Amino acid sequence: TERKQFVMYSNKQLQKKYIQDYHWDVIHGSLAVGTRGDEMVKFVGAKIRPVYEAILLEAGKEEEVSKHQWEFNVLVRDFPDAYAIPGGKVMFYSALIPVCKNEDGIAFVMSHELGHVLANHYCEGETNQQLGEVAAFALLTVATQGDLDYYTTDFISASMVYTVRAAFNHKKEMEADRIGVILMAKAGYDPASAVEYLDRYDSLMNYMYLIEPNRKDSIRRAELINTYIPEAHKYYNEYVQ
């Protein structure tokens, strides 16, 4: 990304940690193997994978690419969500598949989640958490003159970390959106479908889960994605010609 980042970890260092969580989902959850959603996720993943790896290779990250062990799965879950982690693991929750509606929707979600990995957001998040904990402990030590109990330290530290994460969350989402529409376009999917997906997602969260999206944020996000689409369409047009 163009934004300067301070990170103390690499995707390679974090890969083991997050893959353990992914494997827990695979082992203890129920995979929707053979379903239409599972087939679409795997098909889209096969198209996005070479584009994603080409970006890494262009950045000189041959070793990272060589360590990838790709998996594209759908986990049976009632809540619509998806994630991608360093190492080539992508997981969709089954409730998200109808919201995606088609391959274009799946491509945007997958590209957005992989965008977080490409932009080192996991590395940045871990760094921010560590720095937040250190800052919280230092502040508490000064404020209480060293007279700390466990619960006070734990509570304030958690509050500090949450504040640090929240400050970066919006920027990360916008960065992942921009990377996402470019990634999906390079794989042959229409980037304009990203805004249509966001509208369906907001409607579902409001109707099914009674979670009222922040309309101002939703509109702003759609507006920003629309500013990314002309750049992404150049890659899409190259693919379809």
Side-chain angles (χ1 to χ4, degrees):
T1 65
E2 296 178 0
R3 176 172 60 85
K4 292 184 178 180
Q5 295 172 301
F6 173 70
V7 294
M8 299 188 297
Y9 303 92
S10 66
N11 281 331
K12 180 181 177 182
Q13 290 173 304
L14 296 178
Q15 182 173 325
K16 183 177 180 180
K17 172 184 176 180
Y18 288 111
I19 283 182
Q20 287 176 342
D21 295 336
Y22 169 85
H23 282 159
W24 194 96
D25 268 350
V26 171
I27 294 170
H28 298 282
S30 177
L31 295 180
V33 179
T35 63
R36 175 59 178 156
D38 183 57
E39 291 174 353
M40 285 198 296
V41 166
K42 286 179 167 56
F43 181 81
V44 172
K47 293 182 67 175
I48 289 178
R49 170 183 172 174
V51 178
Y52 177 89
E53 291 190 333
I55 293 173
L56 289 177
L57 290 172
E58 188 176 341
K61 297 183 178 181
E62 292 85 358
E63 183 180 2
E64 184 174 336
V65 171
S66 70
K67 299 295 183 182
H68 282 157
Q69 295 179 340
W70 287 94
E71 291 182 20
F72 301 93
N73 285 310
V74 177
L75 188 69
V76 178
R77 287 282 174 84
D78 293 332
F79 191 79
D81 206 351
Y83 65 84
I85 59 173
K89 302 293 188 286
V90 178
M91 183 71 81
F92 276 67
Y93 290 175
S94 57
L96 187 62
I97 300 299
V99 189
C100 292
K101 188 178 180 180
N102 50 37
E103 289 179 19
D104 285 329
I106 288 174
F108 171 66
V109 173
M110 187 180 296
S111 298
H112 172 94
E113 297 303 327
L114 286 169
H116 282 300
V117 183
L118 275 175
N120 294 319
H121 289 164
Y122 283 95
C123 308
E124 192 174 23
E126 290 290 333
T127 298
N128 291 339
Q129 180 174 339
Q130 291 293 320
L131 293 176
E133 290 174 354
V134 171
F137 184 78
L139 180 63
L140 280 170
T141 301
V142 173
T144 62
Q145 297 182 340
D147 186 19
L148 297 172
D149 61 65
Y150 172 81
Y151 295 104
T152 300
T153 304
D154 190 55
F155 175 77
I156 300 298
S157 179
S159 299
M160 177 74 78
V161 170
Y162 176 82
T163 300
V164 171
R165 283 181 172 174
F168 280 90
N169 186 58
H170 181 71
K171 289 182 180 179
K172 289 177 182 177
E173 291 304 314
M174 296 305 101
E175 288 171 354
D177 280 343
R178 180 173 179 270
I179 294 170
V181 294
I182 291 174
L183 189 58
M184 70 182 291
K186 286 187 172 184
Y189 293 103
D190 186 357
S193 62
V195 176
E196 298 171 5
Y197 161 80
L198 288 178
D199 186 59
R200 292 194 300 271
Y201 181 82
D202 284 348
S203 297
L204 175 76
M205 297 303 285
N206 185 19
Y207 178 71
M208 292 291 292
Y209 299 95
L210 302 180
I211 299 174
E212 182 69 39
N214 186 319
R215 196 60 188 160
K216 185 180 293 185
D217 286 348
S218 296
I219 293 173
R220 177 59 176 159
R221 185 181 181 189
E223 288 175 344
L224 283 172
I225 288 178
N226 276 321
T227 67
Y228 308 147
I229 287 177
E231 178 187 6
H233 253 300
K234 295 177 183 178
Y235 300 108
Y236 177 65
N237 291 334
E238 289 176 3
Y239 185 95
V240 298
Q241 285 178 353

